[in-house]
Amino acid sequence: QQPVQSPQAVILREGEDAVINCSSSKALYSVHWYRQKHGEAPVFLMILLKGGEQKGHDKISASFNEKKQQSSLYLTASQLSYSGTYFCGTGLWANNNAGNMLTFGGGTRLMVKP
Amino acid sequence: KAGVTQTPRYLIKTRGQQVTLSCSPISGHRSVSWYQQTPGQGLQFLFEYFSETQRNKGNFPGRFSGRQFSNSRSEMNVSTLELGDSALYLCASSPAWAEAYGYTFGSGTRLTVV
């Protein structure tokens, strides 16, 4: 079952902040965040592991609430280059042939306007 | 360091034909996964290979198959193409377990079935 992302779309002005949420009904080992620009491949942003700390670099950070199986991606002081579709991917640690993969949410379209 | 290379970038095929897509992962990465991306279904997992063995398979019909060679390069084959197979096919490489390391995606092969 794929994780649920919200919101589905968001429009921002440069400099504004945004939060994208990812929720799963399963016990997660990891949450991954990717950004995909139109016509390009998804690009890795960060990974959050069970038991790990909140991650971040520059003005993009993320958290992972293990109790709720939820992750949030925080984009602060947004720039035009942040525009794209953001996907969360969830990993279940399975010591069998059901693992070794990520299940992706439906994506959140982010548009940053000047 | 070279990224993930997928060939060809674009492909137009007729219903009933078969197609083979190729993926060369990042040097040293032994895991190769394939995803189908469509506007309606998002990123759907097809299968994952590690050291020439398929470790996991998504919920796709048997017309979709793949293999991995000893140099970690992978191919994906779709037989008896249907209109619904039109999609962007993404290859993702990982050092080992996607849950722990995440993916580096290739630019994809855009398949159009007419």
Side-chain angles (χ1 to χ4, degrees):
Chain A
Q1 193 172 5
Q2 67 177 154
V4 177
Q5 281 187 240
S6 63
Q8 287 188 312
V10 110
I11 300 175
L12 300 172
R13 292 284 178 192
E14 257 187 307
E16 292 182 338
D17 302 341
V19 180
I20 300 171
N21 300 301
C22 175
S23 180
S24 176
S25 59
K26 298 192 174 184
L28 302 177
Y29 173 78
S30 60
V31 179
H32 307 235
W33 287 97
Y34 293 81
R35 176 172 61 212
Q36 184 177 30
K37 293 182 182 282
H38 185 69
E40 298 180 10
V43 173
F44 173 81
L45 293 176
M46 65 187 73
I47 176 175
L48 299 105
L49 301 176
K50 181 179 175 179
E53 298 177 354
Q54 181 167 339
K55 296 274 191 178
H57 57 87
D58 199 15
K59 297 184 178 70
I60 300 177
S61 62
S63 63
F64 178 20
N65 185 323
E66 293 171 37
K67 284 185 180 178
K68 294 184 176 181
Q69 304 304 322
Q70 291 176 351
S71 178
S72 294
L73 184 72
Y74 306 95
L75 302 112
T76 58
S78 58
Q79 306 166 16
L80 295 175
S81 62
Y82 286 6
S83 292
T85 301
Y86 290 77
F87 292 97
C88 70
T90 54
L92 313 175
W93 191 260
N95 191 24
N96 55 45
N97 290 337
N100 313 306
M101 62 170 285
L102 299 183
T103 302
F104 289 92
T108 296
R109 278 185 149 181
L110 180 80
M111 182 184 294
V112 180
K113 294 187 171 182
Chain B
K1 194 174 184 182
V4 180
T5 303
Q6 286 189 250
T7 56
R9 287 295 309 275
Y10 302 93
L11 211 47
I12 300 176
K13 290 286 187 178
T14 305
R15 258 185 314 175
Q17 287 187 313
Q18 75 164 20
V19 67
T20 300
L21 312 181
S22 180
C23 171
S24 293
I26 288 175
S27 178
H29 284 196
R30 296 166 67 188
S31 169
V32 175
S33 298
W34 289 88
Y35 283 82
Q36 181 194 66
Q37 187 175 30
T38 58
Q41 298 296 318
L43 283 154
Q44 298 290 313
F45 174 76
L46 282 154
F47 27 65
E48 186 260 359
Y49 287 88
F50 183 87
S51 293
E52 302 178 67
T53 300
Q54 186 183 88
R55 292 196 298 189
N56 200 355
K57 189 178 189 307
N59 197 22
F60 277 82
R63 301 184 295 106
F64 291 82
S65 63
R67 59 178 175 167
Q68 187 181 34
F69 302 95
S70 58
N71 61 357
S72 293
R73 191 178 71 85
S74 177
E75 285 182 350
M76 185 193 119
N77 185 76
V78 188
S79 62
T80 320
L81 284 165
E82 300 177 359
L83 295 178
D85 297 334
S86 294
L88 179 66
Y89 289 88
L90 291 165
C91 167
S93 84
S94 180
W97 304 276
E99 299 97 320
Y101 295 97
Y103 292 136
T104 300
F105 282 93
S107 296
T109 294
R110 171 79 59 186
L111 172 65
T112 303
V113 183
V114 297

